[in-house]
Amino acid sequence: MRKLFFDSLFLLGMLTIFLMWYFQFMNFNLGKFVLWILAGLFLVGIYDVLQKKHAILRNFPLVGHFRYILESISPEIQQYFIESNTDGRSFSRNLRSLAYRRAKNVSDTHPFGTQRDLNGVDYMALRHSIYAVSPDKTDARVMIGGHACLHPYDASIFNISAMSFGSLSSNAIRALNLGAKKGSFYHNTGEGGISSYHRQGGDLVWQIGTGYFGCRDEHGDFDPVKFAEKANWPEVKMIEIKLSQGAKPGHGGVLPGVKNTAEIAEIRGVVKGTTILSPPSHSAFKDENGLIEFVGKLRELSGGKPIGFKLCIGRTEEFSAICKAMVSHQIFPDFITIDGAEGGTGAAPLEFSDSVGLPLEPSLIFVRGTLVKFGIRDKIKIIASGKALSAFSILKYIALGADLCNSARGFMFSLGCIQALRCNTNDCPTGVATQRASLAKGLVVTDKSERVYNFHKNTIHAVKELLRASGHCHTSELTIHDLVRGDEMVTLANRYFPDSVNTQV
């Protein structure tokens, strides 16, 4: 291939020179331009042959570059030319389009019927009622805060999930918070601490991760004084202890060095330009008893604000042990956020994303059942976090055991995210998941904050319409029996639900 490449360049060069001589075009700039191009290609070919890093380029000089070009745009090729409307991952084109339309406040109707396989095992639907009720104009909300909570919080059933400044750009964070302010729903800070961009007037849930960013001492351990100062800020409505997240359970958060700017390093209390790997576990406690005591400590330091924790279910016996410790100490978190293994993140090892943790649906069923078993379900609100984007996904998770839902990627779509799969490279083309000022500048805060608000408003409207179709007036009335799977009329054995449609006929 190398010999063919250089022979081809030589022949093209000779042919160009001959034509220039034959037609007396020695002064013709086109011929000179062609020769310069051939000379440049020749030099590139020489470099490819001599370099020792890429075998493909050594064996296929110049031509091998097309392989790397095609590889770099393979997500776009897959998304725009190969995938159908329903088989895209992590979100299908239909769902992405739904989020875009609702964010733009345009018609979100869909023509010509469903494109899904209704008889497949993956199909799940809401069992509607022939006695549907009229939609309620009031917003669906849930009060979070147990008997020990002095400042309970009235939360929307749909909120912005944890995304740090660092993972997202400053303009993205500002737009999210301004949208949350206008729509009266909360904005989870993520584990990167509270930046000035989070403080645009929207309600905050301050997430405390294993790195204790924003409340850490010089050794990286929890600092109660720094925590108490920020926890008592008026915009901080709740505090969430992050034990693990669905995209990488058992693995600490990852902030690539290219995203760790001087500003972010100052907020987090770390060294600029270094890749930040949060510890896989907390240093403030080592077991379930320590966790529950830490919940009580944060409640006291925050002046009685709602305290909860977030985790992806792995070893179910560990969650049972946590519940046992709650009862033993008589200290109960105000909420528990359950993240499914299908949750997303800007940067995670592939093995953790693909092969660790339980999916959200069985996790919710397990957590709800365990809290009921210990007699403490009424004391704790359950928040579902993992691919909640459509109205049906919200109702589905509530029916499976949650009280309300968080969404990260849904609100990223409302900001303009195109699922380019470049979150971990600092090259996000829409300015959402990048720290490059030239890219972040493309995200106009005033426009995108309005889209965040619209997405939430229109999704909540769809939730209420769907809820009334099921014959219920409030999400708290939903149960697992409101759901049906596509294969239930054929197969009595059911993966999640205790009863099939056939047994109820």
Side-chain angles (χ1 to χ4, degrees):
M1 186 64 189
R2 279 179 284 186
K3 186 176 184 302
L4 176 63
F5 168 74
F6 289 113
D7 287 347
S8 299
L9 282 183
F10 177 76
L11 290 175
L12 287 172
M14 291 298 99
L15 179 61
T16 303
I17 294 172
F18 171 75
L19 291 174
M20 292 171 66
W21 168 80
Y22 184 80
F23 292 104
Q24 298 182 353
F25 283 167
M26 289 300 295
N27 294 323
F28 189 44
N29 288 332
L30 178 61
K32 295 178 181 179
F33 180 69
V34 171
L35 287 177
W36 277 111
I37 290 178
L38 292 175
L41 294 177
F42 178 78
L43 292 176
V44 172
I46 290 294
Y47 173 80
D48 289 344
V49 170
L50 295 179
Q51 60 84 34
K52 299 179 180 180
K53 188 176 181 180
H54 302 288
I56 289 178
L57 295 182
R58 284 174 64 86
N59 292 332
F60 301 92
L62 193 64
V63 178
H65 287 281
F66 288 99
R67 184 262 181 194
Y68 296 104
I69 293 172
L70 291 173
E71 182 184 44
S72 68
I73 62 173
S74 61
E76 287 82 2
I77 293 174
Q78 175 73 26
Q79 184 178 129
Y80 298 136
F81 302 109
I82 298 176
E83 73 178 35
S84 72
N85 288 337
T86 58
D87 63 4
R89 296 289 187 270
S90 300
F91 290 88
S92 69
R93 180 176 293 146
N94 279 343
L95 286 175
R96 297 196 304 269
S97 296
L98 178 68
Y100 297 147
R101 292 195 298 267
R102 285 180 174 163
K104 294 175 183 178
N105 210 25
V106 298
S107 174
D108 60 359
T109 57
H110 182 77
F112 226 66
T114 184
Q115 298 174 349
R116 299 182 62 194
D117 177 11
L118 304 191
N119 294 311
V121 294
D122 292 331
Y123 178 76
M124 190 183 297
L126 187 70
R127 298 174 64 204
H128 71 280
S129 171
I130 59 175
Y131 307 109
V133 296
S134 299
D136 190 349
K137 294 183 180 180
T138 59
D139 195 5
R141 307 188 73 85
V142 174
M143 187 65 70
I144 302 177
H147 71 280
C149 176
L150 301 180
H151 303 284
Y153 177 67
D154 188 27
S156 169
I157 62 167
F158 189 46
N159 305 277
I160 302 172
S161 194
M163 293 181 285
S164 302
F165 171 52
S167 175
L168 300 192
S169 68
S170 58
N171 281 3
I173 294 294
R174 288 173 59 203
L176 288 172
N177 197 258
L178 286 169
K181 176 184 178 181
K182 185 172 182 179
S184 298
F185 54 98
Y186 69 69
H187 177 193
N188 192 305
T189 65
E191 66 172 299
I194 306 174
S195 69
S196 60
Y197 309 111
H198 286 101
R199 306 184 70 183
Q200 306 297 310
D203 292 343
L204 292 178
V205 174
W206 182 17
Q207 186 181 86
I208 308 297
T210 56
Y212 303 114
F213 300 123
C215 58
R216 60 189 270 147
D217 61 20
E218 63 273 16
H219 305 295
D221 295 324
F222 177 73
D223 187 323
V225 176
K226 291 181 179 179
F227 170 82
E229 176 192 353
K230 296 180 175 67
N232 283 280
W233 286 349
E235 60 266 49
V236 175
K237 303 300 182 182
M238 303 196 297
I239 291 95
E240 179 180 80
I241 306 164
K242 175 185 162 186
L243 303 179
S244 60
Q245 69 181 95
K248 48 193 173 192
H251 190 289
V254 179
L255 179 67
V258 293
K259 285 188 170 186
N260 185 13
T261 65
E263 183 180 24
I264 291 170
E266 182 179 357
I267 292 170
R268 298 193 178 202
V270 296
V271 179
K272 169 191 172 184
T274 58
T275 296
I276 304 301
L277 300 174
S278 298
S281 59
H282 283 262
S283 60
F285 54 88
K286 298 299 182 184
D287 56 21
E288 63 273 11
N289 295 304
L291 167 62
I292 298 307
E293 291 170 357
F294 192 60
V295 168
K297 180 178 181 179
L298 296 193
R299 183 177 286 133
E300 180 181 350
L301 291 171
S302 67
K305 291 184 177 180
I307 310 293
F309 57 83
K310 173 182 179 178
L311 80 164
C312 175
I313 298 296
R315 296 183 177 178
T316 54
E317 65 272 18
E318 292 181 344
F319 184 79
S320 297
I322 292 173
C323 293
K324 193 176 297 184
M326 295 179 198
V327 175
S328 173
H329 291 270
Q330 285 297 293
I331 298 175
F332 304 98
D334 299 290
F335 65 93
I336 299 174
T337 304
I338 305 299
D339 201 2
E342 62 270 49
T345 182
L350 181 65
E351 295 87 349
F352 278 84
S353 291
D354 284 356
S355 309
V356 184
L358 267 64
L360 183 55
E361 292 172 12
S363 295
L364 287 173
I365 296 171
F366 164 73
V367 168
R368 178 191 172 279
T370 304
L371 294 180
V372 169
K373 174 185 174 182
F374 282 91
I376 55 177
R377 174 65 181 94
D378 60 327
K379 302 179 184 297
I380 302 169
K381 294 295 187 289
I382 299 175
I383 304 175
S385 177
K387 299 188 74 172
L389 185 149
S390 68
F392 171 70
S393 63
I394 294 171
L395 292 186
K396 175 182 69 174
Y397 293 146
I398 292 175
L400 293 175
D403 294 288
L404 59 153
C405 294
N406 289 346
S407 175
R409 289 169 289 181
F411 282 99
M412 287 177 68
F413 288 137
S414 73
L415 290 172
C417 167
I418 59 172
Q419 198 168 288
L421 306 182
R422 302 187 190 278
C423 309
N424 60 330
T425 65
N426 208 32
D427 294 323
C428 171
T430 60
V432 176
T434 180
Q435 295 306 312
R436 289 175 56 183
S438 58
L439 292 173
K441 191 181 297 183
L443 195 157
V444 180
V445 174
T446 52
D447 175 62
K448 300 304 183 183
S449 63
E450 194 68 20
R451 294 194 182 192
V452 170
Y453 163 74
N454 287 334
F455 173 62
H456 177 270
K457 177 191 69 176
N458 291 323
T459 302
I460 290 295
H461 175 74
V463 164
K464 290 189 287 188
E465 286 194 323
L466 208 56
L467 181 65
R468 307 312 171 193
S470 69
H472 297 306
C473 294
H474 194 272
T475 54
S476 60
E477 301 172 17
L478 289 167
T479 71
I480 199 169
H481 300 293
D482 288 296
L483 300 174
V484 64
R485 296 189 65 88
D487 61 346
E488 280 198 24
M489 297 301 291
V490 178
T491 306
L492 297 181
N494 194 302
R495 286 192 293 178
Y496 302 146
F497 304 157
D499 299 307
S500 73
V501 172
N502 282 350
T503 62
Q504 297 176 26
V505 174

